[in-house]
Amino acid sequence: MSIDTAPSVSQVDVRGPRFAAWITTAVLAAVLVLSTFATTAAGVLLAAQAVAFAIGAVRGPRNSPYGTIFATFVAPRLAPTSEREPVAPLKFAQLVGFVFAAVGVLGFALGAPVVGAVATGFALFAAFLNAAFAFCLGCQIYPLVARLRTQSARS
């Protein structure tokens, strides 16, 4: 007789999403710098980040571009993790990042660089909070959204 010790909720090593947040922080900071002199290049780089967010929102942190880099090159060099976090809030956070990045791309593409920069700034703020302080803003909002979805489904 075997005992299933796997968690009932899909979970990931907390270091993976923080690694991804550091890369995201660097990309979004580069977008803001680029936006001061090359809005088209800023829009293209932000579009690439939007794709990374979209993949993370749909496929989860393990199968996102930055998650794959972490799993392939970083995780094998680390000690086994003692801390895990659920996947669902992380996917939601990636969705929120995607929304801000999409608004930013539209801003840059439609000749409204201030909109692009502000949307990028909001995404950068959230990514930096996660990277530097392990505070996932989207993850904190997720339970509220999940509760609202549950309540609206009952109605």
Side-chain angles (χ1 to χ4, degrees):
M1 180 180 192
S2 68
I3 297 174
D4 184 13
T5 57
S8 60
V9 175
S10 182
Q11 296 191 333
V12 294
D13 179 345
V14 297
R15 299 171 295 185
R18 287 195 69 193
F19 172 82
W22 277 116
I23 294 174
T24 301
T25 297
V27 170
L28 295 174
V31 168
L32 287 179
V33 169
L34 273 173
S35 73
T36 62
F37 60 89
T39 56
T40 301
V44 170
L45 183 56
L46 186 56
Q49 179 59 52
V51 169
F53 279 139
I55 293 169
V58 172
R59 298 184 69 203
R62 280 189 202 104
N63 300 311
S64 70
Y66 305 147
T68 301
I69 293 169
F70 176 79
T72 304
F73 300 107
V74 180
R77 291 166 175 75
L78 300 175
T81 186
S82 60
E83 200 176 343
R84 296 189 166 281
E85 60 186 328
V87 168
L90 296 168
K91 288 174 75 171
F92 176 77
Q94 292 292 294
L95 177 62
V96 172
F98 170 76
V99 169
F100 279 107
V103 168
V105 168
L106 285 173
F108 289 128
L110 298 175
V114 172
V115 172
V118 168
T120 302
F122 280 125
L124 173 59
F125 176 72
F128 182 73
L129 279 177
N130 191 7
F133 304 108
F135 184 83
C136 176
L137 197 54
C139 299
Q140 298 301 315
I141 297 168
Y142 176 78
L144 301 171
V145 173
R147 189 173 307 127
L148 288 174
R149 283 183 25 198
T150 303
Q151 289 175 351
S152 67
R154 290 182 195 161
S155 300

